[in-house]
Amino acid sequence: MFAQRFSSTPRGARLARHLAVHRLNAWGIPYGSDVSDTAALLVAELAANAVTHGRVPGRDFEVRLSLDPYALRIDVADPRGERRPAGPGGIIAPAAQAATAALADGGRGLLLVEALADRWAVLDRLPVGKTVRAELDLPH
């Protein structure tokens, strides 16, 4: 397992993506492979969401990666539990939403997560916050 906290800044989100891909390479999932590229996109999107929507001044976000023979699990946790996104199947494409600026500005990122991940969920984080988990099945 890999676990690391990052500052809730765009630079922290970028670093999270780079370190995640580096860790996957160390685990035998090479740079540029389908799994590595998909994981990089998922970490980038979830980290960007944590920085943008889950930021609390002075609090970090956390990325956890775990690998078993069948799947890669990506957990990104932030301290804003009251700002929970809709879960799987609850994400509405921006074009289908009302044409207000507030609604049109949200939801695109989790559409990517829903399209790329084999499974994903929004979980409570104890003692405070939320975790968005995405899982990728590994090819055999």
Side-chain angles (χ1 to χ4, degrees):
M1 179 166 49
F2 167 81
Q4 178 79 38
R5 289 187 178 194
F6 299 93
S7 62
S8 289
T9 64
R11 185 176 185 182
R14 214 171 24 256
L15 181 59
R17 180 179 56 85
H18 286 295
L19 288 179
V21 172
H22 180 73
R23 173 55 55 185
L24 292 178
N25 187 64
W27 285 344
I29 299 173
Y31 297 112
S33 67
D34 287 343
V35 172
S36 178
D37 289 348
T38 301
L41 288 170
L42 288 169
V43 170
E45 184 53 45
L46 294 176
N49 282 354
V51 167
T52 304
H53 305 294
R55 184 175 185 278
V56 172
R59 306 286 299 273
D60 297 337
F61 73 95
E62 182 177 51
V63 175
R64 287 182 179 267
L65 304 175
S66 56
L67 183 66
D68 68 36
Y70 305 102
L72 168 67
R73 177 180 288 167
I74 301 164
D75 289 338
V76 178
D78 68 59
R80 294 287 298 268
E82 75 279 5
R83 294 193 68 183
R84 291 177 68 101
I91 305 301
I92 301 170
Q97 294 176 347
T100 66
L103 289 175
D105 191 39
R108 291 181 185 97
L110 288 177
L111 284 172
L112 289 172
V113 173
E114 192 155 286
L116 294 172
D118 292 302
R119 288 165 301 286
W120 74 282
V122 181
L123 309 167
D124 290 332
R125 178 182 183 215
L126 298 174
V128 64
K130 67 182 172 298
T131 299
V132 180
R133 172 175 290 166
E135 294 183 350
L136 292 175
D137 292 333
L138 300 176
H140 284 97

